[in-house]
Amino acid sequence: MPSTTSSAVSERAAYLRAAEQLKGNAGQWAAYESKAHCVVLAGPGSGKTKTLAAKVARMLAEDVHEPRGLACITYNNECARELEDRLAALGVEPGGRVFIGTVHSFSMTQIILPYAKTAKLGLPDNVGVATETQRNRALAAAYESTIGGPGNPDEMSFPLSNYRRTHIDRTAAAWRDTSPRMAALAEAYEAELRAQGVIDFDDMPRLAFAALKQNAWLGQALLAKFPILVVDEYQDLGTALHRMVLGLCFKAGIRLFAVGDLDQSIYGFAGAKPGLLHKLSERDDVETIQLKLNYRSGTKIVAAAQAALGEDRNYKAADDDTVSDVFIERLAGNYLAQARALINTLLPKALERHEDLSYKNVAVLYQAAWVGDEVFAAAAAAGIPTVRSDKKSLYPKTSRLMQWLEQCSHWCCDGWKSGKPRFSRLARDGQRLFAQALWGEAQVLAFHRQLLACLWERRDGAVRLTDWLDAVEAAVVDPMAAACPDLNDEIEAFTAFAARVSDGGPHSGMSLSEFAGVGDFGDRLTLSSLHSSKGREFDIVFLFGADDQRLPAGAENRRLFYVGFTRAKREIHLTHKIGSPSPFVKEVEAHLAAADDD
């Protein structure tokens, strides 16, 4: 029976209250009520994370007896963090019974590190995660030994990674037959990594799959710990995860609850295959549920988005009275001239129509970072503050360490007063981040105390960011880093960011408040690549540079266009150079014309 302690009763009450909010939506309620393998096909703005959180809390309370738990695999750290926040509101904290993380983290912490020796994976003792420097060194040596001659080894990095992600089963004939050259390069590259005592991110799911395939007992060991496996954003997680799911859930007996959207699969370059979710959803032993109500966008945007998709999914706005609009903007000149028109004319007019909104409610989305440079230049010339989420951002937005430091900065900028975020959250996330260095209760307590002392002394948003970073690095990051090899790339990203904001760096003089994006620095226009916009929402969206050259016809480009389109709540603006609209813009325009005729 579930625990009857006061804490357990409180948690149960929290998820039952959350469940009440699902009853008015047939799809959400069906997902919540599911009993066996279940796939939820969730359209944009369909409340899938709310549904997922309530379902996870219910399964922990009703279906899984302590000390067993469940594992939840997400696409990236940002998705994991959002789910953690939702679960925390329901009284469910990660750790112990609950694993929440990426497929790479699951592979590393739940399979490779605990079972590498017994599963005979052939890895060195105390294996670590390769840094970018180590990966480059290994690739250069492998290139020299297998291909040789003139050429740039770096040009092989992407095709090598793609080949390794596509062919995860090294026992299959396709591994060598498809491209003997790439197979030889991959094997030499991996041997070079092992000589350095490390593996890379592509290794993680592949090695986990190999361990499961070669050791039937391993699936049973995971079943004993995690009788339920939850997968979010299934369409983005690729072949390795799909093969693991088939083995763990349909052979070892772990129950599956998966959520995804075929139409939002935009990471084909990274190995994502939306067809895998489609195959999963069609299995006879899987209950498939669709979420069709959109709680984000107004009716006009929801209807036009299906025209952008080229498919009628029968999606409906949850509130028919929500006002929204779609604009086709034809702009003259090069991208800089178009960006100036957007910033100086289109943006002010949009904000005039919505007096309750400001820059923080608006996003400009584009296909490539260099296009974003032109928007950034135009915004800077107009004195509009911006925050970028693309390859030109100050630091990688997917970095766990940098996300954690940003939250720490929020706490120092009056968050300690408001409880947003709570210090307990910072301590818990830091503990998970530096888990390899914190083995016992005494170490964990010492870490919490050191973190609190460091942040408490620096509760001032006006302090120079470089001084704050130096203090946090000395007191918290450096003492942990040596014992956390899986953070090597994170440390490199932190070091690069610290250099940018230090004296003499391109962003010297930045304050802690500016880094945290609070106070006078909170009202910033978001500039984002289309890929980085996934999972986010804004009242007003400008899909900039929707030209035939930047977004030509093609299935993945259509899905990318659709993802950008469905970020909008009230207004979506499709901008293109006069005379060269993307074919997807033409389809939306035809839909709008037909709707006007009706």
Side-chain angles (χ1 to χ4, degrees):
M1 294 293 293
S3 171
T4 57
T5 65
S6 59
S7 175
V9 171
S10 176
E11 290 176 13
R12 185 179 179 88
Y15 84 78
L16 290 175
R17 286 194 298 271
E20 286 296 317
Q21 301 176 23
L22 307 180
K23 285 186 175 180
N25 183 310
Q28 291 179 345
W29 187 249
Y32 179 77
E33 289 279 88
S34 63
K35 304 298 182 184
H37 297 314
C38 180
V39 170
V40 180
L41 301 178
S46 59
K48 63 102 171 173
T49 306
K50 178 176 72 173
T51 306
L52 181 60
K55 180 63 174 177
V56 167
R58 181 183 191 179
M59 291 189 293
L60 280 169
E62 301 180 14
D63 301 338
V64 181
H65 304 316
E66 293 187 31
R68 302 173 83 192
L70 61 76
C72 183
I73 296 175
T74 63
Y75 177 70
N76 58 32
N77 293 314
E78 290 178 280
C79 294
R81 183 173 165 185
E82 180 184 3
L83 182 57
E84 286 177 8
D85 288 341
R86 297 285 188 120
L87 288 171
L90 301 179
V92 178
E93 299 285 348
R97 297 178 65 208
V98 184
F99 169 88
I100 302 175
T102 65
V103 65
H104 299 92
S105 177
F106 180 81
S107 299
M108 189 70 172
T109 64
Q110 305 301 316
I111 299 177
I112 296 173
L113 290 179
Y115 300 111
K117 285 190 175 182
T118 50
K120 299 179 181 179
L121 293 179
L123 297 177
D125 293 339
N126 301 316
V127 66
V129 180
T131 65
E132 183 177 3
T133 299
Q134 290 173 313
R135 294 194 299 269
N136 291 340
R137 185 187 306 136
L139 179 58
Y143 182 89
E144 179 64 28
S145 65
T146 59
I147 299 176
N152 183 359
D154 291 343
E155 294 178 356
M156 298 300 295
S157 179
F158 178 78
L160 175 64
S161 181
N162 188 55
Y163 194 81
R164 294 169 68 214
R165 285 192 298 258
T166 302
H167 301 282
I168 63 168
D169 188 353
R170 298 293 171 84
T171 65
W175 164 246
R176 195 168 301 282
D177 293 348
T178 303
S179 175
R181 181 171 176 259
M182 291 301 296
L185 178 62
E187 290 168 357
Y189 167 74
E190 290 165 7
E192 292 290 341
L193 289 180
R194 303 302 179 269
Q196 299 180 64
V198 295
I199 62 176
D200 70 0
F201 281 93
D202 287 336
D203 273 322
M204 294 177 191
R206 180 188 69 80
L207 289 169
F209 165 75
L212 288 166
K213 182 180 180 183
Q214 297 164 15
N215 302 275
W217 56 266
L218 181 51
Q220 294 303 310
L222 290 171
L223 170 63
K225 185 176 183 180
F226 299 125
I228 297 176
L229 176 65
V230 177
V231 184
D232 190 18
E233 302 289 357
Y234 197 101
Q235 77 282 351
D236 289 330
L237 291 167
T239 303
L241 173 88
H242 184 68
R243 298 288 290 272
M244 279 194 278
V245 164
L246 295 180
L248 290 172
C249 299
F250 301 104
K251 291 183 180 180
I254 293 176
R255 175 180 163 191
L256 175 67
F257 187 85
V259 181
D261 184 2
L262 300 166
D263 300 326
Q264 295 189 70
S265 180
I266 58 174
Y267 297 105
F269 63 89
K273 295 183 178 180
L276 299 177
L277 175 59
H278 181 67
K279 289 181 180 179
L280 186 68
S281 70
E282 292 193 321
R283 289 180 63 107
D284 292 336
D285 52 357
V286 168
E287 179 183 7
T288 298
I289 296 165
Q290 292 187 307
L291 303 185
K292 293 184 174 293
L293 287 180
N294 186 321
Y295 292 89
R296 175 186 301 154
S297 307
T299 299
K300 191 169 185 177
I301 289 178
V302 172
Q306 293 181 86
L309 182 61
E311 300 279 352
D312 184 0
R313 300 293 190 218
N314 197 29
Y315 292 142
K316 304 294 182 184
D319 183 355
D320 290 337
D321 295 328
T322 301
V323 177
S324 64
D325 213 342
V326 181
F327 299 86
I328 310 293
E329 314 282 10
R330 301 164 184 80
L331 303 178
N334 58 22
Y335 281 132
L336 180 57
Q338 294 177 49
R340 287 170 177 160
L342 187 159
I343 292 296
N344 297 322
T345 303
L346 302 182
L347 176 59
K349 287 182 178 179
L351 290 176
E352 284 177 10
R353 286 190 291 271
H354 303 278
E355 295 182 353
D356 58 321
L357 303 182
S358 60
Y359 295 133
K360 66 183 178 183
N361 306 111
V362 184
V364 182
L365 312 181
Y366 37 80
Q367 198 268 349
W370 69 265
V371 178
D373 289 343
E374 308 290 36
V375 184
F376 176 80
I384 297 175
T386 59
V387 57
R388 294 188 70 163
S389 184
D390 58 25
K391 291 182 179 179
K392 297 293 186 70
S393 59
L394 273 175
Y395 58 86
K397 295 298 182 181
T398 56
S399 166
R400 291 179 295 153
L401 175 57
M402 292 305 302
Q403 286 179 354
W404 181 68
L405 289 172
E406 188 174 319
Q407 288 299 299
C408 289
S409 72
H410 277 275
W411 191 86
C412 289
C413 296
D414 289 342
W416 63 279
K417 294 179 183 177
S418 65
K420 297 180 180 179
R422 295 170 297 160
F423 179 77
S424 59
R425 170 66 188 270
L426 299 180
R428 186 196 73 210
D429 287 357
Q431 182 180 334
R432 294 183 67 207
L433 187 65
F434 301 115
Q436 289 178 296
L438 302 172
W439 287 97
E441 289 186 13
Q443 287 178 304
V444 170
L445 182 58
F447 168 73
H448 289 183
R449 287 174 174 169
Q450 184 67 17
L451 177 63
L452 179 59
C454 178
L455 299 183
W456 187 260
E457 294 175 4
R458 294 164 180 83
R459 292 167 294 131
D460 182 1
V463 71
R464 292 199 317 159
L465 178 58
T466 186
D467 296 335
W468 186 86
L469 289 173
D470 286 346
V472 175
E473 180 180 21
V476 180
V477 178
D478 279 351
M480 299 289 108
C484 300
D486 65 341
L487 292 180
N488 288 339
D489 268 356
E490 305 266 1
I491 299 299
E492 286 188 358
F494 168 77
T495 302
F497 173 71
R500 293 189 189 104
V501 301
S502 65
D503 293 338
H507 298 279
S508 62
M510 182 179 287
S511 68
L512 186 62
S513 291
E514 190 172 356
F515 174 58
V518 299
D520 293 338
F521 301 101
D523 190 20
R524 298 185 286 187
L525 178 69
T526 295
L527 310 183
S528 174
S529 67
L530 284 164
H531 285 96
S532 295
S533 73
K534 191 169 180 290
R536 306 181 70 183
E537 61 181 31
F538 302 88
D539 288 277
I540 300 171
V541 169
F542 291 90
L543 207 166
F544 181 72
D547 306 326
D548 185 45
Q549 182 180 8
R550 302 306 317 160
L551 285 169
E556 182 120 345
N557 279 335
R558 180 184 289 281
R559 292 194 295 269
L560 189 61
F561 180 79
Y562 176 70
V563 165
F565 200 104
T566 54
R567 300 311 92 197
K569 296 163 69 175
R570 302 197 204 178
E571 289 188 5
I572 174 72
H573 297 250
L574 307 177
T575 82
H576 67 84
K577 185 176 181 178
I578 295 174
S580 60
S582 166
F584 313 129
V585 174
K586 292 180 180 179
E587 291 174 12
V588 172
E589 193 166 25
H591 160 80
L592 295 174
D596 287 342
D597 289 342
D598 291 342

